[in-house]
Amino acid sequence: MAADPVTTTAPAPGAEYADTASAAYRAALQVIESVEPRIAAATRKELADQRDSLKLIASENYASPATLLTMGTWLSDKYAEGTIGHRFYAGCQNVDTVESVAAEHARELFGSPYAYAQPHSGIDANLVAFWAILATRIEAPELAAQGAKHVNDLSEADWEKLRNKLGNQRLLGMSLDAGGHLTHGFRPNISGKMFHQRSYGTDPETGLLDYDALAAAAREFKPLIIVGGYSAYPRRINFAKMREIADEVGATLMVDMAHFAGLVAGKVFTGDEDPVPHAHVTTTTTHKSLRGPRGGLVLATEEYAPAVDKGCPMVLGGPLSHVMAAKAVALAEARQPAFQTYAQRVADNAKALADGFLKRGARLVTGGTDNHIVLLDVTSFGLTGRQAESALLDSGVVTNRNSIPADPNGAWYTSGIRFGTPALTTRGFGAADFDRVAELVVDVLTNTSPEGTSKAKYKLADGTAQRVHAAAAELLEANPLYPGLTL
Ligand code: DSN
């Protein structure tokens, strides 16, 4: 295997590798074209668009050709509900191999006693975790108390009692506007409906996670589950401290590391900042900073592993065996030393981007970053997040709008733009490039003005989009995506 097939932080892939991948994609596109040319065209166009834009969405990345190619096979055609060696269908011996290899790489990479590679996404991984915690903490003791082995052994009355118990548990998670995820107890999401939920947030002055307020909320609310982790918080978290709080109130600590799994895998977050040794259950996606295929993973202690292992068909549909295979390939890549170099560069580049904004007078939530996220408060430019996001897109800068703490514009229009460095770091961008990105973003935003009282409409000063597109093109050409890959 080439040391690092995507990033230029490691020896670039040899021409042979690029030629082989090019031939594979050309052949695949020809086959697709013969059935539905519009899909072949959209697939080609997507590569061109991704090559030609500054991808700064914090949750996106570029997977290696090996990872991508692994998904296009007949492994997709096999049903394999159940778990390794215990399936509801015959003929799953090769899927067993695939899932075992993916789980083995995940266990080794993250130092976890158990890994579950089946979740199709991060939300699925969180649902598996929730139900595994409920099964372990609520259902199993109730069955034992009734002398039953299985829920089907319960009388109707005891079953009703158990269902009421399962449906009346408490969850404490980070609020959406402080950077938490929808599945951390946001009321419109299933997590806010299946649990009595309460949120913890950040200090209004510093924007930093307030551990004392979190401990006070945990003591008062006594949740079954405390969820750690975030989608839009630009700082590291002390998971040892979170575990102490969870232990004090008898809660299970579940950490959703979807965003920063690459920084954990790459040993940028170690000790108290590595959630895996501290959490009872850790969930992640595989496609963000971890740079794998779209999908999820659950890691767990031995106590929770048996319940997590029942994720399919309890919560999940049949596993996507072709994607589990790609997870195995991407996790094997993440175990290479080059991935640690990559992960450190992701964090260094975020700092360079934040410094680039600060020196140009922009306001950042928490005043900076120490992970892969930079959250820019665009009210300082007189804009909503929606206006800023659109003006940046017109200029070839792809981001997403995001709420900021106590957001005056609500969750739809928002007041923030979230930036992330994983994708452009994969292309080879360094600190100087990210400083230039900050300059281009500030150029766009200072040349954008709201139209009337609309929170969506805006006007971009003449020539801005063209100027920024041209400058971005120089950066992108110097750091090509999939160098040598031609379709
Ligand atoms: N969509 C992911 C993100 O952008 O952070 C979370 O689900």
Side-chain angles (χ1 to χ4, degrees):
M1 187 200 316
D4 190 327
V6 187
T7 175
T8 55
T9 59
E16 205 184 293
Y17 183 97
D19 286 351
T20 310
S22 300
Y25 284 116
R26 268 188 236 124
L29 285 163
Q30 250 178 27
V31 174
I32 296 165
E33 204 152 42
S34 70
V35 180
E36 178 44 285
R38 289 173 297 179
I39 296 301
T43 307
R44 288 179 206 279
K45 177 76 168 39
E46 181 60 25
L47 177 60
D49 289 352
Q50 293 208 22
R51 279 179 157 161
D52 292 347
S53 56
L54 287 173
K55 191 202 265 212
L56 287 155
I57 292 179
S59 48
E60 292 188 5
N61 212 327
Y62 308 102
S64 71
T67 296
L68 296 177
L69 285 166
T70 305
M71 283 186 279
T73 79
W74 32 89
L75 282 168
S76 169
D77 296 335
K78 189 76 195 93
Y79 242 126
E81 284 179 19
T83 192
I84 301 165
H86 187 82
R87 308 278 182 186
F88 292 86
Y89 295 82
C92 293
Q93 58 281 3
N94 299 311
V95 179
D96 279 351
T97 302
V98 163
E99 186 170 349
S100 301
V101 175
E104 175 196 305
H105 280 308
R107 286 194 307 271
E108 293 295 324
L109 179 64
F110 292 111
S112 175
Y114 167 82
Y116 186 60
Q118 291 197 27
H120 310 157
S121 71
I123 290 185
D124 291 10
N126 285 351
L127 283 174
V128 169
F130 291 148
W131 282 105
I133 295 166
L134 288 169
T136 306
R137 297 275 314 268
I138 307 297
E139 187 176 298
E142 193 68 24
L143 288 178
Q146 303 301 331
K149 280 213 157 67
H150 194 272
V151 285
N152 287 340
D153 302 333
L154 294 176
S155 68
E156 281 307 304
D158 287 338
W159 173 229
E160 194 54 27
K161 201 170 107 200
L162 174 57
R163 276 175 25 82
N164 275 325
K165 258 191 157 176
L166 289 169
N168 277 297
Q169 298 303 318
R170 296 176 179 190
L171 176 137
L172 178 64
M174 196 180 211
S175 69
L176 196 68
D177 73 349
H181 187 253
L182 301 171
T183 52
H184 298 178
F186 188 49
R187 203 175 270 183
N189 182 265
I190 188 166
S191 58
K193 294 184 169 85
M194 64 186 263
F195 290 108
H196 298 288
Q197 68 82 26
R198 202 171 281 184
S199 301
Y200 59 86
T202 46
D203 181 286
E205 294 296 313
T206 61
L208 298 174
L209 177 55
D210 186 341
Y211 294 95
D212 292 337
L214 165 56
R219 282 182 203 120
E220 197 210 311
F221 189 52
K222 299 207 177 355
L224 178 79
I225 304 175
I226 296 179
V227 182
Y230 51 79
S231 284
Y233 178 68
R235 295 291 177 175
R236 300 183 187 195
I237 287 183
N238 184 327
F239 293 109
K241 214 182 255 185
M242 286 194 88
R243 175 62 185 261
E244 267 174 39
I245 296 169
D247 284 347
E248 188 194 322
V249 301
T252 298
L253 179 62
M254 168 182 156
V255 174
D256 175 349
M257 65 168 181
H259 257 266
F260 52 92
L263 300 184
V264 177
K267 312 291 177 228
V268 176
F269 290 3
T270 56
D272 292 352
E273 295 166 353
D274 176 354
V276 180
H278 304 295
H280 299 92
V281 183
T282 306
T283 62
T284 185
T285 52
T286 44
H287 50 271
K288 297 188 175 86
S289 54
L290 196 51
R291 211 166 67 181
R294 306 199 78 73
L297 280 178
V298 182
L299 309 173
T301 57
E302 270 149 21
E303 182 189 1
Y304 290 91
V308 173
D309 218 34
K310 296 194 170 77
C312 168
M314 178 176 58
V315 174
L316 301 173
L320 310 177
S321 304
H322 56 309
V323 181
M324 288 197 295
K327 286 175 194 173
V329 170
L331 290 165
E333 289 172 350
R335 291 182 66 192
Q336 302 291 319
F339 194 83
Q340 295 188 11
T341 310
Y342 163 70
Q344 187 58 53
R345 282 172 60 96
V346 167
D348 293 347
N349 283 340
K351 178 105 180 43
L353 181 66
D355 289 347
F357 283 136
L358 292 171
K359 79 180 184 202
R360 293 175 176 90
R363 195 159 64 221
L364 300 181
V365 173
T366 79
T369 179
D370 50 30
N371 57 20
H372 63 295
I373 293 173
V374 176
L375 191 54
L376 178 65
D377 175 354
V378 293
T379 58
S380 54
F381 294 91
L383 300 170
T384 64
R386 174 89 189 266
Q387 290 161 331
E389 177 192 82
S390 302
L392 287 167
L393 187 63
D394 291 347
S395 312
V397 184
V398 187
T399 63
N400 68 283
R401 65 188 185 279
N402 212 99
S403 300
I404 62 172
D407 200 307
N409 288 314
W412 177 249
Y413 293 107
T414 81
S415 302
I417 292 287
R418 185 184 67 163
F419 297 87
T421 52
L424 292 183
T425 302
T426 292
R427 285 184 76 135
F429 277 53
D433 300 316
F434 273 99
D435 180 64
R436 179 82 171 122
V437 169
E439 187 184 353
L440 298 179
V441 168
V442 170
D443 185 359
V444 173
L445 299 184
T446 46
N447 283 294
T448 305
S449 43
E451 236 186 74
T453 55
S454 170
K455 287 187 174 186
K457 293 189 185 147
Y458 61 97
K459 198 169 161 4
L460 194 52
D462 288 348
T464 307
Q466 293 81 345
R467 181 171 68 247
V468 172
H469 261 294
E474 277 179 31
L475 289 172
L476 294 165
E477 272 161 33
N479 299 282
L481 175 61
Y482 303 125
L485 183 78
T486 55
L487 296 184

